Amino acid sequence: MRRMHGTLVFSLCLALLFCYASAARAESSSSSGTPTVAHLDFRITIPTILYLQVGTSGATLDLVTFTVANLPGTGPVAGTSSGANPVPVRVAALVGAAATATLRADSSTALTDGASHNIPFNQISWTATAPFTSNTFSGAANQQLDQFTGPGDHQGTYSFSYANANYYPTGTYNGAVTYTLSSP
Amino acid sequence: MGESARISILARCRHVPALGLLMGLFCLPMDLYAQGRVVAQEPLDIVIMAASHLSLRIGTTGGTIDRVSFTVAQLPGSGAVAGVSSGAYPVPVRASSTPSGATKVLTADSSTPLNDGFGHTIPFTQISWTGAGGVPSGTFTGSSNQQIWTGTASLGSGATMSFFYANTVYVPPGTYSGRVTYTLSSP
């Protein structure tokens, strides 16, 4: 009889301990004890973003002007932008680690004076600061200028020059280049 | 300082559960005696109150762990992104003890960065919070034992944290998940 009584008390203690432990674990974000812990989960959702800037930021298109003062063949003419000089260039990409972001230019429409006289864009070159590449417009619709791999923010500048290597009728020639940043 | 001081220390320290701390306090006057540095004898009252029971809640009541989400819509560097919680927001913080005036320390373990499951991570140092109701504002350090708050009062109604993602790092697109473990302890 004494043994049975002892066994019963022991069982009650176990039951009380079980109840206390269950209460302490009842809330995974709230518990009691010394010390006690709680958790908080975090989630960050990052989208794919491609950002391209050529010229000053904003909606206005910058205009790079070359004013020729000497005969063709006497050296290139440096351009002056209506915005910042040299022209700011920024390529920012939130893309996959192995994904590429490719900068291309469409210079297929030649500069024109409005009187059927044209100057092809292959007369215009630029000197770039890293990480961008110096080059000359090809006059093609899909000229690749630079390519970057993975997410990153790339900033540099372009300084344009006109070759002034050919004879054209006097006048003011205007044209536009369209830059495109794409990621497959 | 003599027997009266030591007796006072012993009497006041009966709530201290740690035997080592008790012995340390008891031995202190003896050491001073041995060095002949005791110049005055006054009763010394020391009350150190350690909690025997602590309660902590981060988020809403219940068994579910709340999740704070940040949805990025702009490039890094264009401003912080405010969080949205799956529970109450700002995130409630409740910390209390028995006895209620015990010193309490709230720490955070943010040492495991958020990850997208593909080996890309965002450190918790990108996440900050604005505290209210006694909770200090701060930024996760990415360490395993960052002190968030300490005090003898409780953190009750009005104690909250509003979280922000700095959005200053370029990482691959995806969903990054992570967990911070908060610990409330009493020294």
Short mmCIF file of all heavy atoms in Angstrom, two decimals, chain B residues 58-126:
data_model
loop_
_atom_site.label_atom_id
_atom_site.label_comp_id
_atom_site.label_asym_id
_atom_site.label_seq_id
_atom_site.Cartn_x
_atom_site.Cartn_y
_atom_site.Cartn_z
N ILE B 58 7.10 38.57 -28.96
CA ILE B 58 7.42 39.45 -30.08
C ILE B 58 6.39 39.14 -31.16
O ILE B 58 6.43 38.08 -31.77
CB ILE B 58 8.83 39.21 -30.64
CG1 ILE B 58 9.88 39.27 -29.53
CG2 ILE B 58 9.15 40.21 -31.74
CD1 ILE B 58 10.13 40.63 -28.96
N GLY B 59 5.47 40.04 -31.36
CA GLY B 59 4.41 39.79 -32.34
C GLY B 59 3.09 39.58 -31.66
O GLY B 59 2.93 39.85 -30.47
N THR B 60 2.16 39.10 -32.43
CA THR B 60 0.81 38.91 -31.90
C THR B 60 0.74 37.65 -31.06
O THR B 60 1.57 36.76 -31.17
CB THR B 60 -0.21 38.82 -33.05
OG1 THR B 60 0.32 37.93 -34.04
CG2 THR B 60 -0.43 40.17 -33.67
N THR B 61 -0.26 37.59 -30.21
CA THR B 61 -0.47 36.43 -29.36
C THR B 61 -0.85 35.22 -30.21
O THR B 61 -1.56 35.34 -31.19
CB THR B 61 -1.60 36.72 -28.35
OG1 THR B 61 -1.28 37.92 -27.67
CG2 THR B 61 -1.75 35.60 -27.36
N GLY B 62 -0.37 34.08 -29.79
CA GLY B 62 -0.73 32.86 -30.48
C GLY B 62 0.49 32.05 -30.83
O GLY B 62 1.62 32.45 -30.56
N GLY B 63 0.26 30.92 -31.44
CA GLY B 63 1.36 30.00 -31.72
C GLY B 63 2.11 30.31 -32.99
O GLY B 63 3.16 29.73 -33.24
N THR B 64 1.58 31.19 -33.81
CA THR B 64 2.22 31.47 -35.09
C THR B 64 3.29 32.55 -34.94
O THR B 64 3.06 33.56 -34.28
CB THR B 64 1.18 31.94 -36.12
OG1 THR B 64 0.17 30.94 -36.23
CG2 THR B 64 1.83 32.16 -37.47
N ILE B 65 4.42 32.31 -35.53
CA ILE B 65 5.47 33.32 -35.55
C ILE B 65 5.12 34.36 -36.61
O ILE B 65 4.87 34.02 -37.77
CB ILE B 65 6.84 32.67 -35.86
CG1 ILE B 65 7.20 31.67 -34.76
CG2 ILE B 65 7.92 33.73 -36.00
CD1 ILE B 65 8.46 30.89 -35.03
N ASP B 66 5.09 35.61 -36.21
CA ASP B 66 4.78 36.68 -37.16
C ASP B 66 5.90 36.83 -38.19
O ASP B 66 7.07 36.54 -37.89
CB ASP B 66 4.57 38.01 -36.43
CG ASP B 66 3.24 38.04 -35.69
OD1 ASP B 66 2.47 37.06 -35.81
OD2 ASP B 66 2.96 39.03 -35.00
N ARG B 67 5.53 37.30 -39.35
CA ARG B 67 6.52 37.53 -40.41
C ARG B 67 6.41 38.96 -40.89
O ARG B 67 5.33 39.42 -41.27
CB ARG B 67 6.31 36.56 -41.57
CG ARG B 67 7.38 36.74 -42.67
CD ARG B 67 7.20 35.77 -43.81
NE ARG B 67 5.95 35.96 -44.49
CZ ARG B 67 5.04 35.02 -44.70
NH1 ARG B 67 5.24 33.80 -44.25
NH2 ARG B 67 3.92 35.29 -45.34
N VAL B 68 7.53 39.65 -40.89
CA VAL B 68 7.59 41.02 -41.41
C VAL B 68 8.13 40.96 -42.83
O VAL B 68 9.22 40.42 -43.07
CB VAL B 68 8.49 41.91 -40.53
CG1 VAL B 68 8.59 43.31 -41.10
CG2 VAL B 68 7.94 41.96 -39.11
N SER B 69 7.36 41.49 -43.77
CA SER B 69 7.72 41.41 -45.19
C SER B 69 8.06 42.79 -45.74
O SER B 69 7.43 43.79 -45.38
CB SER B 69 6.57 40.81 -46.00
OG SER B 69 6.28 39.50 -45.57
N PHE B 70 9.04 42.81 -46.60
CA PHE B 70 9.43 44.03 -47.31
C PHE B 70 9.34 43.74 -48.81
O PHE B 70 9.95 42.79 -49.29
CB PHE B 70 10.87 44.43 -46.97
CG PHE B 70 11.15 44.53 -45.49
CD1 PHE B 70 11.66 43.45 -44.80
CD2 PHE B 70 10.90 45.71 -44.80
CE1 PHE B 70 11.93 43.53 -43.44
CE2 PHE B 70 11.15 45.79 -43.44
CZ PHE B 70 11.67 44.71 -42.76
N THR B 71 8.61 44.55 -49.52
CA THR B 71 8.50 44.38 -50.96
C THR B 71 9.21 45.54 -51.63
O THR B 71 8.76 46.69 -51.56
CB THR B 71 7.02 44.34 -51.39
OG1 THR B 71 6.37 43.25 -50.71
CG2 THR B 71 6.90 44.12 -52.88
N VAL B 72 10.30 45.23 -52.27
CA VAL B 72 11.13 46.26 -52.90
C VAL B 72 10.55 46.61 -54.27
O VAL B 72 10.18 45.71 -55.04
CB VAL B 72 12.59 45.78 -53.03
CG1 VAL B 72 13.43 46.78 -53.81
CG2 VAL B 72 13.17 45.52 -51.65
N ALA B 73 10.47 47.89 -54.56
CA ALA B 73 9.95 48.32 -55.85
C ALA B 73 10.89 49.29 -56.56
O ALA B 73 10.67 49.62 -57.71
CB ALA B 73 8.59 49.00 -55.67
N GLN B 74 11.93 49.71 -55.85
CA GLN B 74 12.86 50.69 -56.43
C GLN B 74 14.28 50.15 -56.34
O GLN B 74 14.57 49.22 -55.58
CB GLN B 74 12.77 52.01 -55.67
CG GLN B 74 11.36 52.63 -55.65
CD GLN B 74 10.90 53.12 -57.00
OE1 GLN B 74 11.72 53.50 -57.84
NE2 GLN B 74 9.60 53.13 -57.24
N LEU B 75 15.16 50.79 -57.07
CA LEU B 75 16.57 50.40 -57.05
C LEU B 75 17.16 50.61 -55.67
O LEU B 75 16.72 51.48 -54.92
CB LEU B 75 17.36 51.24 -58.05
CG LEU B 75 17.29 50.86 -59.51
CD1 LEU B 75 18.09 51.88 -60.33
CD2 LEU B 75 17.84 49.46 -59.74
N PRO B 76 18.18 49.82 -55.33
CA PRO B 76 18.91 50.10 -54.08
C PRO B 76 19.44 51.54 -54.09
O PRO B 76 19.86 52.06 -55.13
CB PRO B 76 20.05 49.09 -54.14
CG PRO B 76 19.51 47.96 -54.93
CD PRO B 76 18.65 48.59 -55.98
N GLY B 77 19.36 52.15 -52.93
CA GLY B 77 19.84 53.52 -52.80
C GLY B 77 18.75 54.56 -52.96
O GLY B 77 18.99 55.76 -52.83
N SER B 78 17.55 54.10 -53.26
CA SER B 78 16.46 55.06 -53.48
C SER B 78 15.57 55.22 -52.26
O SER B 78 14.48 55.79 -52.36
CB SER B 78 15.63 54.64 -54.69
OG SER B 78 15.20 53.31 -54.57
N GLY B 79 16.02 54.72 -51.11
CA GLY B 79 15.24 54.91 -49.89
C GLY B 79 14.88 53.60 -49.22
O GLY B 79 14.85 52.54 -49.87
N ALA B 80 14.62 53.68 -47.92
CA ALA B 80 14.29 52.49 -47.15
C ALA B 80 12.87 52.03 -47.47
O ALA B 80 12.03 52.82 -47.88
CB ALA B 80 14.43 52.77 -45.66
N VAL B 81 12.65 50.75 -47.25
CA VAL B 81 11.34 50.14 -47.52
C VAL B 81 10.71 49.74 -46.19
O VAL B 81 11.33 49.01 -45.40
CB VAL B 81 11.50 48.91 -48.42
CG1 VAL B 81 10.14 48.27 -48.68
CG2 VAL B 81 12.17 49.29 -49.73
N ALA B 82 9.51 50.21 -45.94
CA ALA B 82 8.82 49.88 -44.69
C ALA B 82 8.28 48.46 -44.73
O ALA B 82 7.90 47.95 -45.78
CB ALA B 82 7.68 50.86 -44.45
N GLY B 83 8.26 47.84 -43.59
CA GLY B 83 7.79 46.46 -43.49
C GLY B 83 6.30 46.38 -43.27
O GLY B 83 5.65 47.33 -42.84
N VAL B 84 5.77 45.21 -43.58
CA VAL B 84 4.37 44.89 -43.31
C VAL B 84 4.36 43.54 -42.61
O VAL B 84 5.03 42.60 -43.06
CB VAL B 84 3.55 44.81 -44.62
CG1 VAL B 84 2.13 44.37 -44.33
CG2 VAL B 84 3.55 46.15 -45.32
N SER B 85 3.61 43.44 -41.52
CA SER B 85 3.63 42.21 -40.74
C SER B 85 2.44 41.34 -41.07
O SER B 85 1.36 41.83 -41.42
CB SER B 85 3.65 42.53 -39.25
OG SER B 85 3.55 41.34 -38.49
N SER B 86 2.63 40.04 -40.91
CA SER B 86 1.51 39.11 -41.05
C SER B 86 0.60 39.19 -39.84
O SER B 86 -0.53 38.72 -39.89
CB SER B 86 2.04 37.68 -41.20
OG SER B 86 2.79 37.31 -40.05
N GLY B 87 1.08 39.80 -38.77
CA GLY B 87 0.28 39.99 -37.58
C GLY B 87 0.04 41.46 -37.35
O GLY B 87 -0.14 42.23 -38.30
N ALA B 88 0.04 41.86 -36.11
CA ALA B 88 -0.17 43.27 -35.79
C ALA B 88 1.06 44.07 -36.21
O ALA B 88 2.19 43.58 -36.19
CB ALA B 88 -0.42 43.44 -34.30
N TYR B 89 0.81 45.29 -36.59
CA TYR B 89 1.91 46.17 -36.98
C TYR B 89 1.61 47.59 -36.54
O TYR B 89 0.51 48.07 -36.77
CB TYR B 89 2.15 46.12 -38.49
CG TYR B 89 3.53 46.58 -38.88
CD1 TYR B 89 4.62 45.73 -38.76
CD2 TYR B 89 3.74 47.87 -39.31
CE1 TYR B 89 5.89 46.15 -39.09
CE2 TYR B 89 5.01 48.30 -39.65
CZ TYR B 89 6.08 47.43 -39.54
OH TYR B 89 7.35 47.84 -39.87
N PRO B 90 2.56 48.26 -35.88
CA PRO B 90 3.92 47.81 -35.57
C PRO B 90 3.91 46.55 -34.71
O PRO B 90 2.93 46.25 -34.04
CB PRO B 90 4.52 48.99 -34.81
CG PRO B 90 3.66 50.17 -35.16
CD PRO B 90 2.30 49.63 -35.40
N VAL B 91 5.01 45.84 -34.73
CA VAL B 91 5.10 44.56 -34.04
C VAL B 91 5.09 44.79 -32.52
O VAL B 91 5.96 45.48 -31.99
CB VAL B 91 6.39 43.83 -34.45
CG1 VAL B 91 6.54 42.53 -33.66
CG2 VAL B 91 6.38 43.55 -35.95
N PRO B 92 4.13 44.20 -31.80
CA PRO B 92 4.08 44.36 -30.35
C PRO B 92 5.26 43.64 -29.67
O PRO B 92 5.69 42.59 -30.12
CB PRO B 92 2.75 43.71 -29.95
CG PRO B 92 1.98 43.55 -31.22
CD PRO B 92 2.99 43.41 -32.31
N VAL B 93 5.73 44.24 -28.61
CA VAL B 93 6.79 43.65 -27.79
C VAL B 93 6.30 43.62 -26.35
O VAL B 93 5.90 44.65 -25.81
CB VAL B 93 8.10 44.46 -27.88
CG1 VAL B 93 9.19 43.82 -27.03
CG2 VAL B 93 8.56 44.58 -29.33
N ARG B 94 6.33 42.44 -25.75
CA ARG B 94 5.93 42.31 -24.35
C ARG B 94 7.04 41.56 -23.62
O ARG B 94 7.42 40.46 -24.03
CB ARG B 94 4.61 41.54 -24.23
CG ARG B 94 3.45 42.17 -24.98
CD ARG B 94 3.00 43.48 -24.34
NE ARG B 94 1.86 44.03 -25.04
CZ ARG B 94 1.95 44.91 -26.05
NH1 ARG B 94 3.15 45.32 -26.46
NH2 ARG B 94 0.87 45.36 -26.65
N ALA B 95 7.52 42.17 -22.55
CA ALA B 95 8.57 41.54 -21.75
C ALA B 95 8.27 41.84 -20.29
O ALA B 95 8.14 43.00 -19.90
CB ALA B 95 9.95 42.08 -22.13
N SER B 96 8.17 40.79 -19.49
CA SER B 96 7.86 40.98 -18.08
C SER B 96 8.55 39.89 -17.27
O SER B 96 9.11 38.94 -17.83
CB SER B 96 6.34 40.92 -17.85
OG SER B 96 5.83 39.68 -18.28
N SER B 97 8.52 40.08 -15.96
CA SER B 97 9.22 39.13 -15.09
C SER B 97 8.49 39.01 -13.77
O SER B 97 7.65 39.83 -13.41
CB SER B 97 10.66 39.61 -14.84
OG SER B 97 10.65 40.84 -14.13
N THR B 98 8.84 37.97 -13.06
CA THR B 98 8.44 37.80 -11.67
C THR B 98 9.72 37.59 -10.85
O THR B 98 10.46 36.64 -11.13
CB THR B 98 7.52 36.58 -11.51
OG1 THR B 98 6.38 36.75 -12.36
CG2 THR B 98 7.07 36.44 -10.06
N PRO B 99 10.02 38.48 -9.91
CA PRO B 99 9.29 39.68 -9.55
C PRO B 99 9.36 40.73 -10.65
O PRO B 99 10.27 40.72 -11.47
CB PRO B 99 10.00 40.15 -8.28
CG PRO B 99 11.38 39.61 -8.41
CD PRO B 99 11.24 38.27 -9.08
N SER B 100 8.41 41.64 -10.63
CA SER B 100 8.26 42.56 -11.76
C SER B 100 9.43 43.53 -11.90
O SER B 100 9.69 44.02 -12.98
CB SER B 100 6.95 43.34 -11.62
OG SER B 100 6.95 44.07 -10.40
N GLY B 101 10.13 43.82 -10.79
CA GLY B 101 11.21 44.79 -10.85
C GLY B 101 12.57 44.21 -11.16
O GLY B 101 13.59 44.91 -11.09
N ALA B 102 12.60 42.95 -11.53
CA ALA B 102 13.90 42.32 -11.81
C ALA B 102 14.54 42.93 -13.05
O ALA B 102 13.85 43.37 -13.98
CB ALA B 102 13.71 40.82 -12.00
N THR B 103 15.83 42.96 -13.06
CA THR B 103 16.55 43.43 -14.23
C THR B 103 16.38 42.43 -15.38
O THR B 103 16.54 41.23 -15.18
CB THR B 103 18.05 43.59 -13.92
OG1 THR B 103 18.19 44.57 -12.91
CG2 THR B 103 18.82 44.02 -15.16
N LYS B 104 16.05 42.97 -16.53
CA LYS B 104 15.82 42.12 -17.69
C LYS B 104 16.66 42.62 -18.87
O LYS B 104 16.86 43.82 -19.02
CB LYS B 104 14.33 42.14 -18.09
CG LYS B 104 13.43 41.53 -17.03
CD LYS B 104 11.97 41.74 -17.35
CE LYS B 104 11.49 43.14 -16.99
NZ LYS B 104 11.48 43.41 -15.54
N VAL B 105 17.13 41.68 -19.65
CA VAL B 105 17.92 42.02 -20.83
C VAL B 105 17.32 41.31 -22.03
O VAL B 105 17.14 40.08 -22.02
CB VAL B 105 19.40 41.61 -20.66
CG1 VAL B 105 20.19 41.95 -21.93
CG2 VAL B 105 20.02 42.29 -19.46
N LEU B 106 17.01 42.10 -23.06
CA LEU B 106 16.47 41.54 -24.30
C LEU B 106 17.57 41.57 -25.35
O LEU B 106 18.12 42.63 -25.66
CB LEU B 106 15.26 42.34 -24.77
CG LEU B 106 14.61 41.89 -26.08
CD1 LEU B 106 14.05 40.48 -25.96
CD2 LEU B 106 13.50 42.87 -26.49
N THR B 107 17.90 40.42 -25.89
CA THR B 107 18.93 40.33 -26.93
C THR B 107 18.34 39.72 -28.19
O THR B 107 17.29 39.07 -28.15
CB THR B 107 20.12 39.49 -26.46
OG1 THR B 107 19.67 38.17 -26.14
CG2 THR B 107 20.79 40.11 -25.24
N ALA B 108 19.06 39.93 -29.29
CA ALA B 108 18.61 39.38 -30.57
C ALA B 108 19.76 38.64 -31.23
O ALA B 108 20.91 39.09 -31.20
CB ALA B 108 18.11 40.50 -31.49
N ASP B 109 19.42 37.52 -31.82
CA ASP B 109 20.38 36.75 -32.61
C ASP B 109 19.96 36.88 -34.08
O ASP B 109 18.98 36.30 -34.51
CB ASP B 109 20.37 35.28 -32.17
CG ASP B 109 21.34 34.42 -32.99
OD1 ASP B 109 21.93 34.95 -33.96
OD2 ASP B 109 21.50 33.24 -32.66
N SER B 110 20.74 37.68 -34.82
CA SER B 110 20.46 37.88 -36.24
C SER B 110 21.66 37.43 -37.07
O SER B 110 21.96 37.99 -38.11
CB SER B 110 20.16 39.36 -36.52
OG SER B 110 21.26 40.18 -36.14
N SER B 111 22.34 36.44 -36.55
CA SER B 111 23.62 36.02 -37.16
C SER B 111 23.44 35.22 -38.45
O SER B 111 24.38 35.06 -39.21
CB SER B 111 24.44 35.22 -36.16
OG SER B 111 23.70 34.11 -35.69
N THR B 112 22.24 34.70 -38.66
CA THR B 112 22.01 33.94 -39.90
C THR B 112 21.31 34.83 -40.90
O THR B 112 20.16 35.23 -40.69
CB THR B 112 21.15 32.69 -39.63
OG1 THR B 112 21.80 31.88 -38.64
CG2 THR B 112 20.97 31.88 -40.89
N PRO B 113 21.96 35.20 -42.00
CA PRO B 113 21.37 36.15 -42.95
C PRO B 113 20.12 35.59 -43.61
O PRO B 113 19.90 34.37 -43.63
CB PRO B 113 22.48 36.37 -43.98
CG PRO B 113 23.69 35.73 -43.43
CD PRO B 113 23.28 34.72 -42.42
N LEU B 114 19.35 36.47 -44.16
CA LEU B 114 18.22 36.05 -44.99
C LEU B 114 18.78 35.41 -46.25
O LEU B 114 19.81 35.85 -46.78
CB LEU B 114 17.33 37.23 -45.35
CG LEU B 114 16.72 38.01 -44.19
CD1 LEU B 114 17.52 39.28 -43.91
CD2 LEU B 114 15.27 38.38 -44.50
N ASN B 115 18.12 34.39 -46.76
CA ASN B 115 18.62 33.73 -47.97
C ASN B 115 17.46 33.38 -48.88
O ASN B 115 16.30 33.27 -48.44
CB ASN B 115 19.44 32.49 -47.61
CG ASN B 115 18.56 31.35 -47.17
OD1 ASN B 115 18.10 30.57 -48.00
ND2 ASN B 115 18.30 31.26 -45.86
N ASP B 116 17.81 33.22 -50.16
CA ASP B 116 16.78 32.95 -51.16
C ASP B 116 16.70 31.47 -51.52
O ASP B 116 15.98 31.09 -52.44
CB ASP B 116 17.02 33.78 -52.42
CG ASP B 116 18.31 33.39 -53.13
OD1 ASP B 116 19.10 32.61 -52.56
OD2 ASP B 116 18.54 33.87 -54.27
N GLY B 117 17.48 30.67 -50.83
CA GLY B 117 17.47 29.24 -51.11
C GLY B 117 18.38 28.85 -52.26
O GLY B 117 18.47 27.68 -52.61
N PHE B 118 19.06 29.84 -52.84
CA PHE B 118 19.96 29.54 -53.97
C PHE B 118 21.39 30.04 -53.68
O PHE B 118 22.15 30.31 -54.60
CB PHE B 118 19.45 30.19 -55.25
CG PHE B 118 18.11 29.68 -55.69
CD1 PHE B 118 16.96 30.39 -55.40
CD2 PHE B 118 17.99 28.47 -56.36
CE1 PHE B 118 15.72 29.92 -55.80
CE2 PHE B 118 16.76 27.99 -56.76
CZ PHE B 118 15.61 28.71 -56.47
N GLY B 119 21.67 30.21 -52.42
CA GLY B 119 23.02 30.61 -52.03
C GLY B 119 23.24 32.11 -51.97
O GLY B 119 24.34 32.56 -51.71
N HIS B 120 22.19 32.88 -52.23
CA HIS B 120 22.31 34.33 -52.15
C HIS B 120 21.73 34.81 -50.82
O HIS B 120 20.70 34.28 -50.37
CB HIS B 120 21.58 35.00 -53.31
CG HIS B 120 21.96 34.45 -54.65
ND1 HIS B 120 21.04 33.93 -55.53
CD2 HIS B 120 23.17 34.30 -55.22
CE1 HIS B 120 21.68 33.50 -56.61
NE2 HIS B 120 22.97 33.70 -56.44
N THR B 121 22.38 35.77 -50.23
CA THR B 121 21.97 36.20 -48.89
C THR B 121 21.88 37.72 -48.79
O THR B 121 22.49 38.45 -49.57
CB THR B 121 22.96 35.70 -47.82
OG1 THR B 121 24.26 36.25 -48.10
CG2 THR B 121 23.04 34.18 -47.81
N ILE B 122 21.10 38.15 -47.83
CA ILE B 122 21.04 39.56 -47.44
C ILE B 122 21.30 39.60 -45.94
O ILE B 122 20.59 38.95 -45.18
CB ILE B 122 19.66 40.18 -47.74
CG1 ILE B 122 19.37 40.15 -49.25
CG2 ILE B 122 19.58 41.61 -47.23
CD1 ILE B 122 17.98 40.64 -49.62
N PRO B 123 22.31 40.35 -45.50
CA PRO B 123 22.59 40.38 -44.06
C PRO B 123 21.51 41.14 -43.30
O PRO B 123 20.89 42.07 -43.84
CB PRO B 123 23.94 41.12 -43.99
CG PRO B 123 23.97 41.96 -45.22
CD PRO B 123 23.23 41.18 -46.28
N PHE B 124 21.31 40.74 -42.07
CA PHE B 124 20.30 41.42 -41.25
C PHE B 124 20.69 42.85 -40.92
O PHE B 124 19.86 43.62 -40.42
CB PHE B 124 20.05 40.63 -39.96
CG PHE B 124 18.89 39.67 -40.08
CD1 PHE B 124 19.12 38.32 -40.21
CD2 PHE B 124 17.59 40.13 -40.08
CE1 PHE B 124 18.07 37.44 -40.33
CE2 PHE B 124 16.53 39.26 -40.20
CZ PHE B 124 16.76 37.89 -40.33
N THR B 125 21.93 43.23 -41.21
CA THR B 125 22.33 44.61 -41.00
C THR B 125 21.56 45.56 -41.92
O THR B 125 21.62 46.78 -41.74
CB THR B 125 23.83 44.80 -41.24
OG1 THR B 125 24.14 44.29 -42.55
CG2 THR B 125 24.64 44.04 -40.20
N GLN B 126 20.86 45.00 -42.88
CA GLN B 126 20.02 45.82 -43.77
C GLN B 126 18.67 46.16 -43.15
O GLN B 126 17.89 46.89 -43.74
CB GLN B 126 19.80 45.06 -45.09
CG GLN B 126 21.01 45.05 -46.01
CD GLN B 126 21.24 46.38 -46.68
OE1 GLN B 126 20.37 46.90 -47.34
NE2 GLN B 126 22.42 46.95 -46.50
#
